[in-house]
Amino acid sequence: MAFIEVVGGRHLSGELTIQGSKNAVLPILAASILHKGITRIKNCPKIIDVYHMIKLLESIGCIVTWEQEGLTIDATDVNYNSVDKKYVSSMRSSIILLGALIGRNKCVTISYPGGCAIGERPIDLHLKAIKELNVEVIRNEDLIFCSTVHLIGGNIEFAKQSVGATENIILAAVKAEGVTIVNNAACEPEITELCSFLNQMGARITGAGSKTIKIEGVKELKDVDYTLVSDRIVMGTYLAAVAGTGGSVTLRGNCCEENASVIEVLRKLGCRVGVGNDYINICSNGKLQASSIIETESYPGFPTDMQSQIMSVLSIANGSSLVVENIFESRFKTVSELVKMGAEIYVNGKVAQIHGVNALYGTDVKALDLRGGAGLVIAGLMANGTSRVSGIEYIERGYQDICLDLRTLGADIRKVEE
Ligand code: UD1
């Protein structure tokens, strides 16, 4: 078993360059199969979710190679339309291949991604939208079959904003005949990144980043070399870590503007934050003020993917804070682990009330999901004594090397393999 051992109490200082974005690269990897040719992705993070997506691409016929600057995908021969259940269950976002395979081969068989650690995560919006492109969807208990003879653009009206469903319909529509309009699209930066990648590949998409996206179908795409954006949530995680431990750190990456809501919260807690085009500098004395209320919202609101990390920080702030989780219903699981470290947090439905304590103390805790795991690492950095965080396979889904990153900033932290 492997775990992360962290000795708390050190201030963080120095500089760090942020890895490439997980949530941007997964749909881009899926998008690579729309083109019978080569895609090169620079700055691709070496994380478990990327390794899973590579396995999925290989299972349908792609040749994927790691090169010095990143990843190369040769999608000349995508011979299989059936996505293996074992890969779909290992990564929820494998459902993104539905739109890409329909776009490429007009046919796909895929199993249900199922629930996951942070909530139910249904796919009704994905399936309803795909039907609007003249795709027949047949479902049984285990599998979803989608096929079309003629992929035709349509008007999609999402009842609710969904990042994955917006990405899926864009992927399906890129090579459809005619125009697709997506209304109530998600506005997350990862959608903009996907569309910018697809346009570089020869797609014709406008409106990404707004609630209405227009996709004019094209017949052919072309080889593309793409440099991936930095990971805004990894950047946010390390900002939260410095806020909680105290110190002065500069984080380099091109996702600063996208962290505006996180920076606003950190400033309210008492941190000094300076923002440049490609860096954020944060100074904190580690003595934070509680926040009246933080609500997770879709972009540009405060991201649900930063809720656990900010909860750790609030657990030692002066006073009481409220955190409202509006996106995923089971995203307070990490609270019980924080309580083991001395935090005082009470959960009622989608609201968590946090009474700041003077100090957390190090103990053994378990990561129960990706961002919750990162939140526990932050708690360990702030705590008195030594913490051991197990369940690190969750953390490695999204962080290339969280221990090395934090050691670079002066933390006493390492991965231990037993
Ligand atoms: C993506 C991100 C995840 C982030 C989330 C919200 C990736 C790989 N993952 O997940 O890190 O936390 O956006 O920003 O990019 N919903 C439905 N029906 C559907 C689809 C979604 O009801 O068919 C609901 C979900 O249960 C949830 C909400 O819509 O309550 C938003 O989910 P969605 O935006 O789809 O999240 P993901 O794309 O799964």
Side-chain angles (χ1 to χ4, degrees):
M1 197 191 74
F3 56 89
I4 289 174
E5 187 171 79
V6 48
V7 183
R10 290 205 183 182
H11 289 243
L12 299 180
S13 63
E15 264 192 46
L16 187 71
T17 299
I18 299 298
Q19 69 181 62
S21 163
K22 168 178 101 64
N23 285 358
V25 80
L26 295 174
I28 286 176
L29 286 170
S32 70
I33 70 169
L34 287 171
H35 168 53
K36 288 188 184 177
I38 308 289
T39 297
R40 290 188 190 83
I41 302 171
K42 289 183 191 150
N43 198 30
C44 184
K46 292 192 168 171
I47 52 176
I48 300 283
D49 272 11
V50 166
Y51 296 138
H52 274 142
M53 188 54 100
I54 291 173
K55 286 251 179 302
L56 277 160
L57 294 178
E58 288 173 339
S59 77
I60 54 174
C62 297
I63 299 166
V64 185
T65 38
W66 282 102
E67 299 185 353
Q68 200 163 10
E69 286 202 308
L71 201 61
T72 299
I73 302 114
D74 180 349
T76 309
D77 297 309
V78 173
N79 304 318
Y80 302 94
N81 297 323
S82 182
V83 189
D84 197 312
K85 187 173 179 175
K86 73 172 181 248
Y87 299 125
V88 179
S89 56
S90 67
M91 188 177 62
R92 203 270 170 192
S93 49
S94 51
I95 192 68
I96 201 72
L97 278 173
L98 188 148
L101 267 171
I102 277 287
R104 169 73 186 247
N105 288 346
K106 297 192 171 54
C107 174
V108 54
T109 304
I110 195 163
S111 54
Y112 294 90
C116 91
I118 60 172
E120 195 42 47
R121 302 184 93 170
I123 55 165
D124 54 314
L125 299 170
H126 300 241
L127 298 181
K128 189 161 181 279
I130 211 98
K131 285 182 193 165
E132 300 292 333
L133 301 191
N134 194 37
V135 175
E136 188 180 22
V137 178
I138 301 171
R139 310 165 65 168
N140 66 24
E141 270 183 17
D142 300 321
L143 293 170
I144 307 159
F145 309 91
C146 298
S147 66
T148 180
V149 178
H150 206 155
L151 201 56
I152 304 175
N155 277 322
I156 317 296
E157 186 72 53
F158 279 120
K160 179 178 184 180
Q161 282 184 314
S162 157
V163 176
T166 302
E167 291 167 345
N168 239 337
I169 201 66
I170 291 170
L171 292 173
V174 163
K175 292 176 90 178
E177 188 185 314
V179 175
T180 299
I181 304 288
V182 185
N183 287 312
N184 202 20
C187 303
E188 267 63 9
E190 292 72 28
I191 309 274
T192 311
E193 190 72 6
L194 171 65
C195 294
S196 141
F197 167 82
L198 286 164
N199 283 342
Q200 208 165 308
M201 220 185 189
R204 299 185 66 185
I205 308 172
T206 51
S210 78
K211 283 190 174 183
T212 304
I213 299 178
K214 180 178 173 189
I215 305 129
E216 293 174 64
V218 296
K219 288 207 163 67
E220 292 294 324
L221 296 168
K222 56 180 193 249
D223 290 358
V224 60
D225 276 16
Y226 199 77
T227 303
L228 193 69
V229 69
S230 315
D231 194 307
R232 65 186 170 111
I233 303 300
V234 172
M235 191 182 242
T237 300
Y238 297 153
L239 288 173
V242 181
T245 59
S248 173
V249 163
T250 300
L251 299 174
R252 299 204 174 274
N254 54 356
C255 55
C256 303
E257 209 179 295
E258 290 75 7
N259 264 312
S261 61
V262 174
I263 292 168
E264 192 187 326
V265 164
L266 293 173
R267 283 184 176 142
K268 278 188 187 152
L269 300 187
C271 302
R272 275 192 291 126
V273 187
V275 185
N277 269 347
D278 60 354
Y279 71 88
I280 298 181
N281 175 262
I282 177 163
C283 289
S284 163
N285 62 9
K287 294 181 177 45
L288 303 173
Q289 279 306 318
S291 164
S292 50
I293 182 160
I294 297 171
E295 292 211 41
T296 64
E297 286 163 19
S298 49
Y299 188 80
F302 189 86
T304 174
D305 286 353
M306 278 298 300
Q307 183 255 100
S308 299
Q309 299 90 314
I310 211 73
M311 179 97 86
S312 293
V313 172
L314 293 173
S315 70
I316 53 137
N318 183 21
S320 294
S321 312
L322 285 183
V323 170
V324 182
E325 174 54 62
N326 288 314
I327 311 291
F328 290 113
E329 69 276 17
S330 308
R331 224 169 187 180
F332 284 138
K333 282 190 178 164
T334 303
V335 166
S336 57
E337 300 301 297
L338 278 179
V339 167
K340 287 184 195 162
M341 298 177 77
E344 261 189 56
I345 306 174
Y346 306 93
V347 175
N348 186 3
K350 62 178 196 171
V351 180
Q353 195 171 25
I354 303 126
H355 300 296
V357 294
N358 286 336
L360 297 177
Y361 45 87
T363 187
D364 290 0
V365 287
K366 191 168 187 308
L368 301 165
D369 64 58
L370 163 60
R371 304 304 170 187
L376 291 174
V377 169
I378 293 175
L381 294 171
M382 300 184 318
N384 293 331
T386 302
S387 302
R388 275 167 295 271
V389 183
S390 60
I392 64 171
E393 61 281 6
Y394 286 112
I395 299 173
E396 290 176 344
R397 279 188 43 215
Y399 296 83
Q400 192 161 280
D401 196 335
I402 198 169
C403 293
L404 179 62
D405 283 351
L406 290 166
R407 265 202 316 274
T408 304
L409 300 178
D412 186 348
I413 183 169
R414 64 198 179 109
K415 178 174 167 179
V416 181
E417 309 256 11
E418 274 189 342

